[in-house]
Amino acid sequence: ESFVFLFLFQVEFSYPPIIPGAGHDSNTLPEEWKYLPFLALPDGAHNHQEDTVYFHLPPLDGQQKCVYGVSCYRQMEAKALKVREADITRETVQKSVCVLSQLPLFGLIQAKLQLITHAYFEEKDFSQISILKELYDHMNRSLSCTALEGSQIYLGLSARDLILHFKHKVLILFKLILLEKKILFYVTPVKRLVETLMTVLSLFPGIIEHGLADSSHYQPRRSISEDFSSPEIISADEESLSMSTTDITNISKELEGRHDVSDQPDQSKPCNTTLDTHYLQPHAGSLLDSECEWETLEPHVMDEMEGKVDVAHSNMFDTDSGLPITVQPQSATGQGMLTSGLVSGLQEDQYGLPLAIFTKGYLCMPYMALQQHHLLSDISVRGFVAGATNILFRQQRHLSDAIVDVDEARIQIHDPELRKMLYLSTADLRFADYLVKHVTENKEDVFLDGTGWEGGDEWIRAQFGLYIHSLLSSALQQDHERLLADYGTAFTSAWKITHNYRVWISNKHPAMASITPGHPFQGQYSVADVKIRLSHSMQNSERGKKIGNAVMSTSRSVVQTGKAVGQSVGGALTVAKSAMSSWFSMLAQPTAAVSASPQSAD
C-alpha cells in the first residue's frame, strides 16, 4: 500500500530474498529501503530507451555500512514479448535489473550488469530468471575487497573528460566538497549525471574506496504519501512518473567467497568498520535569490595583482619549467597499511586519508529520487553531494549552496561569501592551467590511445592527490597562515571549521612528515599570472564571453567579405584588424558625443 502513487512501483524478484523468510517474488521491502524502486527506475525513465543509475541505500537496522546500488534500466515494446504476462497492460514494458553490493565497484558492476540486462531482455520472456541467479553467483565469485585497491575502482570514471568539460572549474568543485557544502548536480540522462558526480569524488584520495561507508545515514519518511503532500510536486512531475514495474536482483551478500543466499548482508566483514551514526546540527547559511556572475575578474583584484607583479621577475611563470608533479606521494614501507581511524571510523592510510567528509550527516547520493526531496531540508542532514534529473530540485535553489549544471559546465552559487571563499588564488589558477594544458595537449596520445601517464586519468588524480597532501601538510606548520594563503585565505579559514578538517587535525599522521608543505604552484607573481587571470575571466564570465563572441563574429564576417570581393586571406586579415580597431573606437564614441552636447548647446 505504501508503494502506490499514480502507478505501481514494486520489486518483482530478488535473489536472495531481501527479507529473510520471504519468497523471491515478495515485493516487501525493509523500511530503510522503501525508496529502492524509485532509485532503480528513475524519474522520466520513459524518455530513454535505456539508462544506468548509481545510488546509495542506508544501512539496515543494526548494521553500519552504506549499501551501494547499480541499476540498468531498459524498455521495449510489449508486442515484441514472446510471453506477455497478465500485468503487462501498456504498449511498452519498463524494467530495471539492480545489484546491491557492499563494495563501491560501480563501473565494474555496471559493465557486467549491462550485458546481463541486455541478454535478459533479448529472451523476451521475463519469467526466465535463471540468468539473474547466474549473475549473482558470478559476482560473488569474481569480486572481492582486493578490487578496491586497483584501478578497477575507477572504471567508467574519466578524469580526462571531466577536465576537458569543466576545465578550471573542477578545482572549484573540489574545494566546494572540502567545505562540505550542499551541492546539487543536475543533468539528464542519469548515467551522465552519476558518472560526472562520482568522477569528481574520485579526485579525493581514498574517498570512493573507503570514504563513503557513512554517506547514506538518513531516515526515510514514515509514509511514501508524505513525500507527495504538496499538490505542486504531484502536478509538476505527474508525467515523469509514468513507469511500470522493477526487476530487482539483490546482490548485497559479502563478496569475498561466501555464498549463503539465506542470510542478510553481513556488514561486519573485514571490509568494514563500526561507525558512530549521530548527526551534527546543520550550519545556518545565508543564501541570495539572485544568481550573480561570480567568476569575473574583479577590478580591485586586478589592481592588487598589478601592484604585486615584480618587474624584475618579468620572466613569466612557466609550468613546464617549474617543479613537475609526476607521481602521487607514495607511502613508505609499512605506511600503506589501512587502519581504522580513531575519530573518523573510516579505514585510513598513514596520511589520515580519506578525509572524513561524508560522515556525521553529510550525505553522498549519486542519484536522488523525487521521493527523497525532503532530505534537502532535513535537520539531521548538514550537507550533501547529490545528483538529480527532476527539474523541481533545480528550481528550489534555496535548498542548496551550489547547483552544478553539467550540460553547460556551469556552477551557480548564490551566497556572495561562498563565492569569495571559492575565488581561485593565483597559485590555484596556475595549478588548474597546468592540468588543462596537459590534458588538452595530450588529447591525441599515441600511447595506448590516450591512457598514457601524463595527462591521463591516473596522472590527474595524482595531481589532486599532491594538492590535498600539500594542503594538509601546510596546515601542520608553524607558519601555516603564510603557507595556506596560496590556497586562498577565505577558503582556508572556512575549511578549518569543517568537520573533516577537525577530525583530521585531531589525530597524528606520521607519514605527513614526508610531504613538502606549501602550494605546489607557489611562487613570485609575474606577467603570466595576469594573463592567466585575464584568460580565466574572459572564458568564464558573462561579460568576457560577450566581448569574445562579438570579436569573433566581427572577424569572421570581415574575412568572409574579403573573400567575396576577391581579396587574399592576408588582405582579409588586415581588413579584419582594421575593423576591430574601428569597432572598439565606436564603443567610446557615445561618451564623447554626450560630453560634447553641452558645448554645442552653448
Side-chain angles (χ1 to χ4, degrees), residues 217-219 279-282 360-362 378-382:
H217 284 60
Y218 60 82
Q219 294 296 323
Y279 298 121
L280 295 180
Q281 295 299 317
K360 301 292 183 181
Y362 191 75
D378 194 314
I379 193 173
S380 66
V381 176
R382 62 185 179 88

Side-chain angles (χ1 to χ4, degrees), residues 412-426:
Q412 302 173 22
I413 296 180
H414 323 304
D415 187 356
E417 290 299 317
L418 180 55
R419 293 199 297 269
K420 182 179 178 182
M421 297 173 194
L422 296 170
Y423 194 83
L424 295 183
S425 67
T426 298

Side-chain angles (χ1 to χ4, degrees), residues 419-450:
R419 293 199 297 269
K420 182 179 178 182
M421 297 173 194
L422 296 170
Y423 194 83
L424 295 183
S425 67
T426 298
D428 279 344
L429 280 178
R430 293 171 181 170
F431 173 69
D433 188 61
Y434 178 78
L435 292 176
V436 173
K437 282 184 176 179
H438 278 72
V439 171
T440 53
E441 289 174 1
N442 292 282
K443 190 174 182 180
E444 301 298 333
D445 194 346
V446 296
F447 177 66
L448 294 182
D449 191 23

Side-chain angles (χ1 to χ4, degrees), residues 6-25:
L6 294 180
F7 301 99
L8 182 65
F9 292 77
Q10 70 178 19
V11 176
E12 290 186 349
F13 169 81
S14 63
Y15 185 82
I18 295 178
I19 296 181
H24 292 294
D25 58 350

Side-chain angles (χ1 to χ4, degrees), residues 272-289:
N272 304 298
T273 55
T274 302
L275 301 179
D276 183 5
T277 57
H278 294 292
Y279 298 121
L280 295 180
Q281 295 299 317
H283 300 292
S286 60
L287 296 176
L288 298 181
D289 293 332

Side-chain angles (χ1 to χ4, degrees), residues 106-155:
F106 295 103
L108 189 59
I109 293 175
Q110 185 266 340
K112 298 175 182 291
L113 182 59
Q114 190 172 30
L115 294 174
I116 295 300
T117 303
H118 180 76
Y120 182 56
F121 270 73
E122 285 299 308
E123 290 285 337
K124 297 182 174 61
D125 180 3
F126 294 125
S127 64
Q128 301 298 318
I129 59 176
S130 59
I131 190 173
L132 303 180
K133 295 181 179 179
E134 292 173 3
L135 172 64
Y136 171 82
D137 294 332
H138 170 73
M139 289 280 192
N140 279 283
R141 288 193 304 267
S142 61
L143 302 181
S144 67
C145 293
T146 57
L148 294 178
E149 307 305 326
S151 59
Q152 293 183 106
I153 191 74
Y154 303 125
L155 184 63

Side-chain angles (χ1 to χ4, degrees), residues 311-466:
V311 180
H313 295 83
S314 58
N315 53 324
M316 300 180 182
F317 180 86
D318 185 0
T319 55
D320 292 331
S321 61
L323 178 64
I325 309 175
T326 55
V327 293
Q328 187 171 350
Q330 300 296 315
S331 58
T333 304
Q335 294 179 343
M337 300 295 294
L338 294 175
T339 58
S340 181
L342 297 177
V343 181
S344 70
L346 302 175
Q347 291 290 309
E348 298 177 355
D349 63 15
Q350 293 300 299
Y351 300 99
L353 299 177
L355 293 174
I357 297 174
F358 296 101
T359 59
K360 301 292 183 181
Y362 191 75
L363 305 183
C364 176
M365 294 172 284
Y367 172 71
M368 176 186 284
L370 181 63
Q371 290 73 16
Q372 296 175 301
H373 183 271
H374 68 280
L375 293 175
L376 299 183
S377 55
D378 194 314
I379 193 173
S380 66
V381 176
R382 62 185 179 88
F384 53 80
V385 177
T389 58
N390 195 298
I391 190 64
L392 289 172
F393 288 98
R394 184 175 181 177
Q395 290 174 342
Q396 300 190 13
R397 296 177 299 171
H398 63 286
L399 296 179
S400 57
D401 297 319
I403 298 178
V404 182
D405 188 323
V406 176
D407 255 338
E408 299 182 4
R410 179 185 176 92
I411 307 173
Q412 302 173 22
I413 296 180
H414 323 304
D415 187 356
E417 290 299 317
L418 180 55
R419 293 199 297 269
K420 182 179 178 182
M421 297 173 194
L422 296 170
Y423 194 83
L424 295 183
S425 67
T426 298
D428 279 344
L429 280 178
R430 293 171 181 170
F431 173 69
D433 188 61
Y434 178 78
L435 292 176
V436 173
K437 282 184 176 179
H438 278 72
V439 171
T440 53
E441 289 174 1
N442 292 282
K443 190 174 182 180
E444 301 298 333
D445 194 346
V446 296
F447 177 66
L448 294 182
D449 191 23
T451 59
W453 167 247
E454 189 164 316
D457 290 344
E458 291 185 9
W459 180 88
I460 293 169
R461 293 188 178 98
Q463 314 316 306
F464 280 95
L466 184 54

